[in-house]
Amino acid sequence: MSTDPSKYKFNHTMLRVKDPKASVKYYEFLGLKQVNKLSFPDNKFDLYFLAYDSPQAVSADHHWTDREGVLELTHNYGSENDDNFKIANGNSEPGKGFGHVCVSVDNIQAACQRLEDAGYKFQKKLTDGRMRSIAFALDPDGYWVEIIGQNPVDKTEGVKETQLEKYRFNHTMLRVKSADASIKFYQQTMGMTLMRTMENKDNGFNLYFLGYPGSKGVPTESANGVNPVTDREGLLELTWNYGTEKDESFKYHDGNSEPQGFGHICVSVDDLDAACKRFDDERVNWKKRLTDGRMKNVAFILDPDGYWIEVIQNEKMKRSSDW
């Protein structure tokens, strides 16, 4: 029994939603397709798994556990009919922690215009503020969806068409208290590689992009002069605001206590039992071991900020569950 972290995948990000019909419709408009659905009527919730699945997609036709860039939407029955039910999007207090998910697109101006024409709202349009190369759309629950370009913004100005087949579910952003502690954890314990660092000293924060390089390896430069990781899926962006690590009372919200919204990120592994043994050897803080509870095919680890990391079997590598 052995495990190789280089074979791990940053499989999915889970968000709770109020109305699954509205949320699935929105993300399908962004080009994602439902690749799996799990229903738990006895527990009164459903799980919807969406991903890019066209012939041009990174993981086209793969089993849902053998992918990166999957979005899991969790719906608790009845929330769609509750006028008082509201999701915490992670970007305001109380409940600040999770930041956004991100989709990279071929022609950013055309992609944003398509969303606007469909009546969807924005937290930040391309023309807002100083950063004219990114936008933030709002999904039906108010979660922020960052839109970034795979091509230089000046080269796509005036382009009116956008191809959904070229879109990528690029990354998920989490705010972290200590950059050093979190980077060490995700590299050493979770086996990720630091792909890119963006320092913003004038504004007092840094961004770190981590992931599993796989066969593509670690990017060194971009062929077209833009962000060298826009063509990838399954990246984790850690945002560190200077000084938070020195405040003993400072704490980010994990999304699983009230107010709820973001739930967890998930890593699929080559051998679930062996991976959990390795995590034990790394002395991780467990939220749920494989042997806990009724679900023996999932485990949950806590990262340094208390964010939940689900661990599941990559069913292509070793058959274990009838998902």
Side-chain angles (χ1 to χ4, degrees):
M1 187 172 70
S2 63
T3 184
D4 180 357
S6 70
K7 296 179 180 178
Y8 295 3
K9 293 179 183 289
F10 178 6
N11 178 248
H12 71 255
T13 296
M14 186 277 263
L15 302 177
R16 296 175 178 88
V17 299
K18 178 183 176 79
D19 183 348
K21 290 183 179 179
S23 295
V24 169
K25 179 182 178 182
Y26 177 84
Y27 286 104
E28 286 182 339
F29 188 78
L30 275 173
L32 289 93
K33 296 180 180 179
Q34 186 174 308
V35 294
N36 196 33
K37 179 184 177 182
L38 300 175
S39 294
F40 300 88
D42 291 344
N43 302 104
K44 298 183 179 181
F45 70 90
D46 291 338
L47 309 177
Y48 299 80
F49 296 86
L50 298 99
Y52 287 106
D53 200 40
S54 76
Q56 297 182 49
V58 175
S59 303
D61 295 326
H62 286 215
H63 189 275
W64 73 272
T65 62
D66 186 41
R67 293 172 179 263
E68 296 193 297
V70 177
L71 179 64
E72 175 189 352
L73 304 179
T74 294
H75 170 236
N76 293 292
Y77 297 175
S79 60
E80 69 277 19
N81 300 317
D82 183 352
D83 292 339
N84 295 318
F85 184 89
K86 192 177 188 301
I87 291 295
N89 71 7
N91 290 300
S92 60
E93 298 293 357
K96 198 169 187 178
F98 163 80
H100 61 260
V101 293
C102 174
V103 172
S104 69
V105 301
D106 54 351
N107 304 316
I108 191 168
Q109 293 92 342
C112 289
Q113 189 62 53
R114 177 175 174 271
L115 279 167
E116 192 170 350
D117 290 346
Y120 290 117
K121 297 179 180 179
F122 282 76
Q123 177 68 27
K124 176 201 175 297
K125 295 183 179 182
L126 272 179
T127 52
D128 295 339
R130 291 178 298 172
M131 297 185 69
R132 301 301 177 94
S133 59
I134 62 172
F136 284 91
L138 294 174
D139 87 347
D141 287 289
Y143 289 117
W144 295 13
V145 180
E146 185 179 14
I147 311 293
I148 61 174
Q150 299 165 1
N151 297 295
V153 175
D154 59 339
K155 302 296 184 183
T156 56
E157 188 74 52
V159 178
K160 303 299 182 183
E161 302 297 325
T162 183
Q163 294 181 270
L164 300 180
E165 295 81 7
K166 294 183 178 179
Y167 288 18
R168 302 284 185 263
F169 183 0
N170 183 251
H171 70 257
T172 294
M173 187 275 264
L174 300 177
R175 297 176 180 89
V176 298
K177 177 175 180 174
S178 169
D180 289 343
S182 293
I183 290 171
K184 180 181 178 181
F185 171 83
Y186 281 103
Q187 287 185 312
Q188 178 176 306
T189 303
M190 300 309 301
M192 291 185 176
T193 297
L194 183 61
M195 303 269 200
R196 186 176 187 235
T197 299
M198 293 178 61
E199 294 186 348
N200 294 273
K201 294 181 179 179
D202 291 343
N203 295 306
F205 70 91
N206 290 354
L207 310 177
Y208 305 92
F209 294 85
L210 299 100
Y212 298 105
S215 60
K216 297 191 72 168
V218 179
T220 54
E221 60 183 20
S222 172
N224 59 9
V226 297
N227 177 341
V229 294
T230 56
D231 62 336
R232 296 180 183 245
E233 295 194 312
L235 296 179
L236 178 64
E237 175 188 352
L238 303 179
T239 295
W240 169 55
N241 292 290
Y242 299 174
T244 53
E245 76 284 2
K246 299 174 183 177
D247 183 349
E248 291 185 6
S249 64
F250 187 89
K251 192 176 189 304
Y252 282 119
H253 184 64
D254 66 13
N256 291 301
S257 56
E258 296 295 342
Q260 290 187 326
F262 163 81
H264 60 259
I265 60 174
C266 175
V267 172
S268 65
V269 298
D270 53 349
D271 186 300
L272 185 55
D273 291 320
C276 286
K277 172 63 169 62
R278 176 181 169 274
F279 292 137
D280 249 341
D281 293 342
E282 291 285 341
R283 301 179 182 275
V284 301
N285 187 6
W286 292 99
K287 178 66 181 179
K288 177 199 175 299
R289 295 176 181 270
L290 280 178
T291 52
D292 295 339
R294 290 180 297 174
M295 297 185 69
K296 307 298 184 182
N297 55 351
V298 299
F300 282 90
I301 294 169
L302 298 178
D303 87 346
D305 286 280
Y307 294 118
W308 296 18
I309 304 172
E310 185 179 16
V311 185
I312 62 174
Q313 176 65 50
N314 182 327
E315 296 293 329
K316 180 185 177 183
M317 296 185 177
K318 182 180 178 182
R319 191 70 179 168
S320 69
S321 301
D322 185 20
W323 288 105

